[in-house]
Amino acid sequence: MTTPCPYSSRHNGGATGAPAIELKQLTKVFPGSSTPVLNAIDLTVPAGTIFGILGPNGAGKTTIMSTLCGLLKPTSGSVHICGSNAQTERATIKQILGMVPQEPAIYPTLTARENLEYFGRMQGLSGEHLQKRILACLDVAEMAGEADKRVERLSGGYKRRLNMVIGLIHEPKILILDEPTVAIDPHSRSLIHHRLRELHAAGISILISTHQMDEAEQLCQEIAILDHGRVLVQGNVSDLLSMQASETVQLQIEGDPPADLTARLEHIPGLLEAHVAGQCLTVVTVRPDRVMIPLMQAMQDYGLAVRSLSFGTTSLEDVFLSHTDGKRASR
């Protein structure tokens, strides 16, 4: 039996009303450039969801995160967080929002407990309430035994955990995480996933940027895929998977596919897309019965043995690749 997450929000993140985050025609052009990093983006994050932002390198994910936190000012458009204007109501936004950056924003010469106390005071906490919040956050991170160690002596996994709960110290209504589990041990990754699900169950809205497709598929109810500063697709994860699955064929291949395999396959009549990930070949077609013979002939011509073949299966990575011209997700 799992222990309940010792976190109780002051807010009701799942309440009806304003979305957790709403971007309207959000545009950002950096000085000296004529190309928008964000190009008139409309994006709505419903309250009470775990929402994922995916996109290849340069898609605009980090720019959105920085704009939400007030680090960047948009060129045009609007940003509202729980109905509050992110540009003109920063004091309100500071209480609503918890930010977990990709690189741990913690002081290495302070202990874990001292870091939590410092950032808690920065959020206006003090006295007994602050001490209770520190203990609760240490419990969430499972770091009671590490609380009085200097951060520079902690493992990467413990630093990631501390980084996350610093974002929770003031009990925000919305938690934003940028690549929260990159380069950490499996146990810490599993713990962070578990805690995020508990926080969601407690009513917290969560926005997560990740380049790990399996992480997004396991955690998120909704996603948005970005590229070149535009939202290509937004929707419920299960709906996006089911829409793509009916048109998908997957082949597990023995050996390494040649570099020109997908280019050859895309000439097959009726085959819409082809993607290779390791030894897995995924093709998209509206008529699987018509492409199977030329597809298997191509495998034979390349001397590739097919270990297994399945129809109607797909993954979030397949959905991502189909909307980004085969680009890989990236930090």
Side-chain angles (χ1 to χ4, degrees):
M1 184 175 68
T2 59
T3 302
C5 177
Y7 176 92
S8 58
S9 173
R10 295 172 297 170
H11 313 283
N12 182 3
T16 59
I21 296 169
E22 188 172 28
L23 313 180
K24 290 185 177 180
Q25 294 294 293
L26 183 66
T27 299
K28 178 63 181 178
V29 182
F30 286 107
S33 174
S34 59
T35 303
V37 179
L38 301 177
N39 195 347
I41 281 183
D42 290 321
L43 182 68
T44 300
V45 177
T49 62
I50 303 180
F51 192 101
I53 295 182
L54 311 177
N57 189 38
K61 304 186 301 297
T62 300
T63 304
I64 286 178
M65 297 284 193
S66 299
T67 302
L68 290 172
C69 296
L71 299 176
L72 288 177
K73 183 179 179 180
T75 303
S76 61
S78 64
V79 178
H80 285 83
I81 299 174
C82 295
S84 298
N85 189 303
Q87 297 303 311
T88 62
E89 302 177 74
R90 289 310 306 173
T92 300
I93 300 302
K94 181 181 178 181
Q95 296 300 314
I96 293 174
L97 214 58
M99 178 64 189
V100 182
Q102 180 178 340
E103 294 299 325
I106 46 184
Y107 290 99
T109 59
L110 299 181
T111 67
R113 189 190 307 276
E114 288 168 342
N115 267 279
L116 285 165
E117 181 167 5
Y118 173 80
F119 285 103
R121 291 188 183 281
M122 290 287 289
Q123 289 289 346
L125 307 184
S126 62
E128 184 179 353
H129 178 59
L130 173 58
Q131 297 308 311
K132 287 182 178 179
R133 289 301 306 142
I134 290 171
L135 292 176
C137 287
L138 289 170
D139 284 343
V140 169
E142 293 187 2
M143 289 184 63
E146 315 295 323
D148 298 308
K149 292 183 180 178
R150 286 165 57 142
V151 165
E152 61 190 0
R153 298 177 181 173
L154 297 177
S155 68
Y158 277 125
K159 290 176 183 176
R160 287 281 172 188
R161 298 188 203 184
L162 179 60
N163 196 44
M164 180 181 73
V165 295
I166 283 174
L168 294 172
I169 189 70
H170 60 301
E171 299 179 87
K173 186 173 183 177
I174 301 172
L175 185 65
I176 297 178
L177 306 102
D178 190 7
E179 303 287 356
T181 63
V182 65
I184 62 172
D185 61 278
H187 178 71
S188 290
R189 184 174 190 259
S190 177
L191 174 68
I192 288 174
H193 284 189
H194 181 63
R195 290 312 195 196
L196 290 177
R197 293 188 185 98
E198 289 182 326
L199 292 167
H200 170 247
I204 309 305
S205 301
I206 298 172
L207 177 65
I208 178 170
S209 170
T210 179
H211 71 288
Q212 301 180 60
M213 296 294 110
D214 63 326
E215 179 165 77
E217 193 166 340
Q218 292 169 25
L219 286 176
C220 301
Q221 289 87 45
E222 292 198 28
I223 62 163
I225 297 176
L226 276 65
D227 198 11
H228 298 299
R230 294 181 179 273
V231 176
L232 302 182
V233 63
Q234 175 180 348
N236 181 278
V237 171
S238 59
D239 290 343
L240 293 173
L241 292 175
S242 63
M243 287 171 60
Q244 179 114 352
S246 62
E247 303 176 345
T248 302
V249 180
Q250 281 191 348
L251 295 84
Q252 293 292 332
I253 303 168
E254 290 184 358
D256 296 322
D260 64 339
L261 176 61
T262 56
R264 156 80 184 271
L265 297 180
E266 287 172 354
H267 291 292
I268 296 176
L271 195 150
L272 304 178
E273 299 168 16
H275 310 296
V276 174
Q279 295 180 320
C280 178
L281 168 65
T282 302
V283 299
V284 178
T285 173
V286 293
R287 290 299 302 270
D289 56 326
R290 292 187 179 179
V291 304
M292 288 313 301
I293 291 178
L295 180 60
M296 298 308 293
Q297 182 63 54
M299 297 299 101
Q300 184 176 344
D301 292 346
Y302 278 108
L304 297 171
V306 178
R307 291 188 285 118
S308 65
L309 184 150
S310 57
F311 292 87
T313 59
T314 192
S315 67
L316 192 53
E317 182 168 11
D318 298 325
V319 176
F320 178 89
L321 291 172
S322 71
H323 284 88
T324 58
D325 298 325
K327 298 176 184 176
R328 295 287 169 187
S330 172
R331 286 174 282 175

